[in-house]
DNA sequence: AATTTTTTTGCAAACGTTTGCGACAAAATT
DNA sequence: AATTTTGTCGCAAACGTTTGCAAAAAAATT
């Protein structure tokens, strides 16, 4: 079965292609009666405009690209949900690709985006990828790039992210409030700027406001790793009384050890994490967490994208604030 | 900055567009020397073929569409991962859209797919959507549709799914093995065929092999709902000793109640679920589950898609088998 | 009735590719 | 030396739109 085209409609109605085209988009030049006829036929033959022809002609696709490290991540999920929602409202489709934390995949994804002439891309850096020239090239080709969450230090780009320092400080505040004595703070992938920001803010705050609290710092980039770390620190009877988990993955690993050692929360040990809330609420008592909303970040990112596409270059770094959610773990 | 096109290359090299086109794809008609020149220039101007022009000309895109109820779901995540992996290897890009369990969104997503002339779609039905004419129309337009997981009863379509009956029976087997007396089995959305299949298989097996076990059946389509259901059944001292959860969402709700009532697993109550394993392993002891692998399902779906695209109509229903994973909850 | 204005429609080029066919030269065959 | 084959390349049409501009028809103005 052949697709319905403008030409076909035109033939059947004894009209020119241009008239049909204009009728379909309510151009004031076209009379109401012909508009009606055209719409009717288009309906019954369920005409779908060929997006490829349109893009070829107009040189602008209605597709936005999103690169995330992984979609099996509640934070990115909600980010994508927000972007998709806004996109739908603005007539855009969203193409989602995952880098799987692999710079190589990131590159090949970018290539797919270029080939499909996306009109903008939201990018979250995969671990150690710092080949920013590719992104720079996209910007030069007038394809706006909005980095989110894991953003480059480079300030030639538009960036949106969580208020990482505030997150870390909020967590620190609540640890102090608990009268903690010995704290284990586990952060994520060391090479990421997001990790560095959170860690240094946390560290500084702890030193300044609670210098007598003993803090151990560690890094983990997987649940398994976090589990082992926790085992090491909790085992040697060093009276660890509080643990801070920077990510859901870390929290999961830490909880495995806590469950295994049958530690009581919050009496034996206090737990606090940074999360969107899904995982923390699975445990009993619920884990207290500093909430970071991928959803809000997505909304913000979309606004930035639109601004970039419409107007000039708004090269800014915007942040979304966080809030503390009390579970029963502190 | 304007994009590099064949025309531009042709001009700079004093060649015709067709020659450049052929050179770029190693057509035997073109001499080695010109091929080299063309490739060199294309490289330095980083030429990217315009996918839209290609599709317009060849009437075939290299994009596959995937519709899932939600991407924040580990089962679908792994399904997508598999499809994406295979797609990448075969030169396809994947466009992921979520229906959010909303038939209206499903429709609008389908429209986006049609407009972008995807060359195939993987579809998972959103709850109560049974407007199959749309899918039938796609098939008529020679856009193969492969349904997965939640598939229509209609046998005009290609379908891949888990061996739902086997899953349910495996769960039932292990419930019997536990010497259960009173069982609560909570299934998902009642209108879905996947639910019906699992439920009737479960029910039949229980009747035939353990008629003395008292089973209560219930439906839930959210964690909250499952939580309440569990509260109702566990509260009234009717000595409930085992609960079966058909989905992760249900398990989460059930576990909330179990934690709240401080029931001990597995002594007070046994728990078994159907899952890919992520959520069950968060609890302590780990929840025993029948494993369903979205990843394998994705691989299978892709194979079916390719078969549909290449050859004729392979209208079959294929299933992926499951296996039981022992936690400590039974 | 002749002119101007307004309304409605069509022509044709362009977007960047692919591809059947023909053209031309060089090489191989007679 | 005349012919055929082979190796390289270009012409031009087509894919389905959009849009500036011209044209034709109808309505309004003199």
């Amino acid at each position: 079965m052949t697709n319905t085209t403008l030409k076909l409609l035109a033939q059947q109605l004894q009209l020119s292609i241009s008239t049909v085209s204009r009728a379909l988009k309510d151009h004031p030049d076209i009379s109401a009666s012909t508009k009606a006829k055209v719409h009717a036929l288009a309906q019954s033959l369920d005409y779908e405009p060929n997006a490829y022809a349109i893009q070829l002609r107009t040189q602008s696709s209605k597709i936005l690209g999103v690169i995330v490290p992984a979609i099996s991540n509640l934070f990115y999920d909600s980010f994508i949900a927000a972007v998709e929602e806004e996109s739908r409202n603005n007539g855009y489709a969203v193409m989602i690709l995952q880098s799987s934390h692999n710079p190589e995949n990131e590159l090949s994804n970018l290539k797919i985006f270029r080939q499909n002439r996306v009109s903008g891309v939201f990018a979250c850096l995969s671990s150690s990828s710092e080949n920013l020239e590719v992104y720079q090239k996209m910007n030069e080709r007038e394809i706006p790039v909005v980095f989110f969450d894991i953003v480059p230090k480079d300030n030639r780009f538009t960036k949106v992210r969580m208020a990482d320092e505030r997150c870390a400080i909020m967590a620190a505040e609540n640890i102090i409030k608990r009268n903690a004595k010995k704290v284990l703070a586990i952060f994520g992938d060391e090479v990421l700027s997001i990790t560095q920001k959170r860690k240094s803010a946390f560290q500084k705050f702890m030193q300044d406001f609670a210098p007598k609290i003993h803090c151990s710092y560690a890094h983990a980039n997987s649940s398994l790793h976090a589990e082992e770390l926790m085992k090491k620190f909790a085992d040697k009877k060093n009276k660890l009384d509080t643990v801070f988990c920077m990510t859901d993955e870390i929290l999961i690993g830490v909880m495995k050890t806590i469950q295994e050692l049958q530690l009581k929360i919050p009496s034996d040990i206090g737990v606090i994490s940074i999360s969107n809330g899904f995982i923390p609420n699975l445990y009993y008592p619920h884990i207290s967490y500093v909430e970071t909303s991928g959803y809000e970040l997505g909304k913000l990112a979309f606004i930035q994208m639109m601004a970039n596409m419409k107007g000039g270059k708004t090269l800014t770094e915007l942040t979304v604030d966080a809030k503390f959610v009390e579970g029963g773990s502190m």
Side-chain angles (χ1 to χ4, degrees), chain A:
Chain A
M1 166 177 267
T2 172
N3 273 327
T4 319
T5 68
L6 286 187
K7 190 200 278 186
L8 188 72
L9 295 181
Q11 283 172 345
Q12 301 223 4
L13 290 168
Q14 297 280 48
L15 286 172
S16 76
I17 294 177
S18 37
T19 303
V20 175
S21 170
R22 288 185 174 107
L24 250 15
K25 49 185 47 164
D26 266 338
H27 194 286
D29 268 10
I30 307 299
S31 72
S33 67
T34 52
K35 266 182 198 170
K37 281 185 224 156
V38 173
H39 275 113
L41 188 64
Q43 184 81 36
S44 79
L45 264 52
D46 51 34
Y47 165 77
E48 292 285 353
N50 187 320
Y52 293 86
I54 293 174
Q55 132 74 16
L56 184 57
R57 169 63 222 232
T58 63
Q59 299 288 31
S60 86
S61 79
K62 283 294 208 173
I63 299 184
L64 261 20
V66 182
I67 299 187
V68 290
I71 60 173
S72 62
N73 176 303
L74 294 152
F75 180 76
Y76 294 130
D77 279 351
S78 55
F79 178 88
I80 291 171
V83 169
E84 217 171 37
E85 207 172 293
E86 286 298 321
S87 295
R88 195 189 304 280
N89 293 340
N90 291 62
Y92 283 86
V94 179
M95 202 162 163
I96 305 160
L97 259 25
Q98 4 184 13
S99 63
S100 311
H101 297 282
N102 181 345
E104 207 171 305
N105 285 346
E106 190 179 333
L107 259 302
S108 89
N109 286 346
L110 248 354
K111 185 168 184 178
I112 291 175
F113 283 161
R114 283 197 308 271
Q115 288 184 343
N116 284 94
R117 300 295 197 268
V118 296
S119 47
V121 359
F122 299 94
C124 176
L125 256 26
S126 70
S127 263
S128 49
S129 87
E130 296 291 344
N131 29 17
L132 296 173
E133 314 102 55
V134 201
Y135 291 105
Q136 184 54 29
K137 248 176 198 161
M138 296 203 101
N139 269 334
E140 280 166 11
R141 286 189 186 193
E142 288 172 2
I143 299 172
V145 177
V146 173
F147 286 100
F148 66 95
D149 195 39
I150 302 182
V151 305
K153 293 146 211 149
D154 203 310
N155 55 12
R156 289 174 300 174
F157 301 102
T158 303
K159 301 175 263 184
V160 299
R161 58 174 182 88
M162 297 305 305
D164 294 313
E165 295 86 352
R166 289 263 307 135
C167 286
I169 291 174
M170 274 180 160
E173 282 173 345
N174 283 82
I175 291 175
I176 293 174
K177 205 179 285 175
R178 179 184 151 79
N179 281 324
K181 300 276 178 279
K182 287 205 114 185
V183 176
L184 169 61
I186 307 181
F187 294 85
D189 193 339
E190 220 164 345
V191 307
L192 298 178
S193 67
I194 187 175
T195 304
Q196 297 302 342
K197 273 184 192 142
R198 290 179 176 184
K199 185 173 175 185
S200 62
F202 184 91
Q203 226 157 359
K204 185 162 182 337
F205 192 88
M206 278 307 208
Q207 275 174 1
D208 293 354
F209 286 80
K212 69 258 177 239
I213 295 182
H214 182 266
C215 289
S216 304
Y217 295 95
H219 291 269
N221 35 36
S222 70
S223 295
L224 215 64
H225 190 184
E227 187 180 348
E228 288 163 5
L229 266 171
M230 182 64 186
K231 211 165 282 174
K232 215 169 85 184
F233 278 86
D235 232 19
K236 54 173 160 181
K237 307 270 188 238
N238 56 4
K239 293 182 296 175
L240 192 63
D241 59 20
T242 310
V243 54
F244 163 70
C245 310
M246 188 184 119
T247 68
D248 276 335
E249 287 79 14
I250 294 171
L251 174 64
I252 289 171
V254 164
M255 284 303 291
K256 279 228 159 65
T257 296
I258 289 180
Q259 292 169 335
E260 204 174 306
L261 301 180
Q262 313 258 31
L263 301 176
K264 295 272 170 291
I265 297 175
S267 54
D268 290 347
I269 192 153
V271 182
I272 183 169
S273 72
I274 296 183
S275 170
N276 73 338
F278 181 81
I279 299 287
N281 285 328
L282 252 32
Y283 298 105
Y284 189 82
H286 293 349
I287 307 301
S288 300
Y289 62 95
V290 176
E291 184 177 71
T292 62
S293 163
Y295 191 80
E296 278 189 49
L297 193 65
K299 294 283 186 181
L300 184 61
F302 191 85
I303 291 172
Q304 284 296 91
M305 177 62 79
M306 287 299 124
N308 269 14
M309 284 176 31
K310 297 273 166 54
K313 298 98 203 170
T314 43
L315 300 180
T316 42
E317 175 161 14
L318 295 183
T319 57
V320 172
D321 208 0
K323 70 165 190 268
F324 179 72
V325 179
E326 185 78 51
S329 67
M330 288 293 283

